[in-house]
Amino acid sequence: SAVISQKPSRDICQRGTSLTIQCQVDSQVTMMFWYRQQPGQSLTLIATANQGSEATYESGFVIDKFPISRPNLTFSTLTVSNMSPEDSSIYLCSVVGQTYGYTFGSGTRLTVV
Amino acid sequence: EDQVTQSPEALRLQEGESSSLNCSYTVSGLRGLFWYRQDPGKGPEFLFTLYSAGEEKEKERLKATLTKKESFLHITAPKPEDSATYLCAVTHSGYALNFGKGTSLLVTP
């Protein structure tokens, strides 16, 4: 399976600010996804990161709030913009490759104060 | 719309006490059912993928089975290190996963 490096692993941020989370994969992958896991809840898909084009967002998530970039086949970023305490969650990067299934990064634990 | 329901929400077992976790699903055109293990502060760790009814897969003390409406994760003679949250997910599109809320398992010595 792929090895995913997700940074930062955790952060505490002031409301109204933005945080960019990075996801680096050790090999080229077919698809990259960003998920959110709110406290005590399961994982919810935010968007599919498309290489070289705009991300595909799920219902309830918008580009202005969660801009995503994917400049190549091994790297993506998720920005959480204009944060409020409701954005406190774990954010997870996930990838799918041609020879392996869905693999997840270790996550970014975000606390907004 | 895909729906995934896991039960029980929490389960406490004595070491060696076998049990099963349930994942019932509603999806149009199942392309795969996945089981993951998640430890606190970590991302989900892949366990199994099942594709068709009747399929079974095993790994150490874990065995996953699939019917047309549900999947079971059987845990045989669990150990304390099996304590974790077990997540079930499905996909109908072949790419994005739709997760259940998970079963939190605690195995005591």
Side-chain angles (χ1 to χ4, degrees), chain A residues 31 33 35 37 42 45 102 105-106, chain B residues 36 38 43 94-97 99-100:
Chain A
M31 308 194 77
F33 308 96
Y35 286 83
Q37 188 173 28
S42 192
L45 180 66
Y102 298 82
S106 56
Chain B
Y36 286 86
Q38 187 174 26
Y95 67 102
L97 298 182
F99 282 85

Side-chain angles (χ1 to χ4, degrees), chain A residues 6-27:
Chain A
Q6 193 173 331
K7 296 179 181 180
S9 59
R10 59 177 62 231
D11 207 341
I12 301 173
C13 300
Q14 296 290 326
R15 66 177 67 199
T17 64
S18 298
L19 176 71
T20 296
I21 302 167
Q22 298 181 357
C23 177
Q24 177 73 56
V25 192
D26 68 344
S27 59

